Amino acid sequence: MKAFGPGPRGGLTALDAPATAPRHARLLRTKPFLRRLYESYYAELLAAATQAASGPWLEVGSGSGFFAELAPGLLTLDCRRGTTATLRGSALALPFATGSLGFVGALDVVHHLQDPLAFLQEVQRVLRPGGVACFIEPYISLLSTPIYHGLHHEPCDPRRPDWRLPPGGPLSGADLALAWVLFVRDRATLTARLPGLELLTVRPHTYLLYLLSGGLRTSLGPPGPLFPLLQELEQRLPRAWAPRLASMMTVTWRRLPGPAASRP
């Protein structure tokens, strides 16, 4: 879960403490504007899941969120203590058999992973043919770049030379540009490394809605009824503007037919 706002680097470890997850859960559920924003993201994940092959659905890095409340039967996985996930484990070694899942979704997770390629290879392994994966992640644009640099505690390096993060905590370790580097800048190289997955969509969206929500750093935020009005305003803007204005993106993959590689 993201949290806008400047903060000293030395204080970032508090993000990884078990007490942080319940606090974030409370904010997500009690801030009306923020809750509606997350409901819109979960609606995207749910729409992708309903297009998937039959089989269990999994949310990775479920953290403090409430996707499971909207998708009965959803399996949830998180590595942190203090969350309500049904399973504890690493995104880099998913505790599922090869070809056993119909859907894998994640919100604001990929840019926190020390080795996101290993995660995507695990997604490729556990999805059955026709299964779908959907990730919602920060997007780097002309508008979002100064916002991320000036108003967010996480680093943002669109020029980073590789796909790996240095060791860090599950929340405090991050690079806001990492998913954009993977899915946009280095898309051709990435897809060649994932022959069992077909990249379906990379859709930029969300211009200023998260910034206006106040995120998870404060209990203050706009009234909930304002959200659909501002969301409609964003959606009425020309789609051609999205790559310049977006701060988030939805990335969707489909598992291709053929055998999946077993875990080494």
Side-chain angles (χ1 to χ4, degrees):
M1 301 297 174
K2 296 193 298 181
F4 274 106
R9 298 291 181 191
L12 288 180
T13 53
L15 287 173
D16 304 315
T20 298
R23 181 171 63 83
H24 284 177
R26 177 180 57 80
L27 289 173
L28 282 173
R29 289 161 175 78
T30 58
K31 294 182 63 174
F33 192 98
L34 182 64
R35 182 183 178 96
R36 291 199 180 194
L37 177 62
Y38 271 75
E39 286 173 348
S40 72
Y41 292 156
Y42 290 142
E44 292 217 32
L45 294 179
L46 190 58
T50 57
Q51 300 301 312
S54 61
W57 295 356
L58 170 68
E59 181 189 13
V60 176
S62 55
S64 307
F66 54 91
F67 186 30
E69 298 172 16
L70 308 177
L74 177 75
L75 300 171
T76 55
L77 175 79
D78 204 287
C79 66
R80 294 184 295 147
R81 291 178 295 148
T83 74
T84 58
T86 54
L87 298 166
R88 278 192 65 193
S90 170
L92 309 187
L94 296 175
F96 296 94
T98 297
S100 62
L101 298 180
F103 172 77
V104 177
L107 171 57
D108 269 338
V109 170
V110 173
H111 74 278
H112 285 281
L113 299 177
Q114 188 175 347
D115 188 352
L117 177 60
F119 166 63
L120 294 171
Q121 289 170 334
E122 277 289 86
V123 170
Q124 178 179 250
R125 179 184 68 81
V126 300
L127 281 177
R128 59 186 53 179
V132 169
C134 184
F135 312 123
I136 299 178
E137 288 289 325
Y139 184 84
I140 303 303
S141 69
L142 290 175
L143 179 62
S144 70
T145 298
I147 293 173
Y148 286 150
H149 278 295
L151 296 174
H152 205 291
H153 63 269
E154 294 173 4
C156 180
D157 182 10
R159 298 181 180 179
R160 60 176 304 110
D162 56 37
W163 300 342
R164 294 181 64 94
L165 293 178
L171 283 187
S172 59
D175 183 337
L176 286 164
L178 182 56
W180 178 88
V181 167
L182 278 164
F183 301 135
V184 179
R185 193 194 75 182
D186 296 345
R187 183 183 308 177
T189 304
L190 178 66
T191 53
R193 299 288 298 274
L194 299 168
L197 293 177
E198 177 188 10
L199 181 60
L200 299 178
T201 60
V202 178
R203 186 180 70 84
H205 55 81
T206 307
Y207 303 160
L208 293 173
L209 291 175
Y210 193 91
L211 178 64
L212 292 173
S213 76
L216 296 168
R217 289 292 292 264
T218 174
S219 60
L220 302 177
L226 189 60
F227 176 79
L229 299 176
L230 295 178
Q231 183 186 46
E232 182 178 0
L233 177 61
E234 284 197 357
Q235 292 173 346
R236 285 179 176 270
L237 295 176
R239 289 188 178 183
W241 293 10
R244 298 181 180 181
L245 300 179
S247 63
M248 300 293 288
M249 62 180 168
T250 298
V251 182
T252 311
W253 301 77
R254 177 179 290 128
R255 182 67 172 85
L256 295 170
S262 298
R263 181 185 296 152

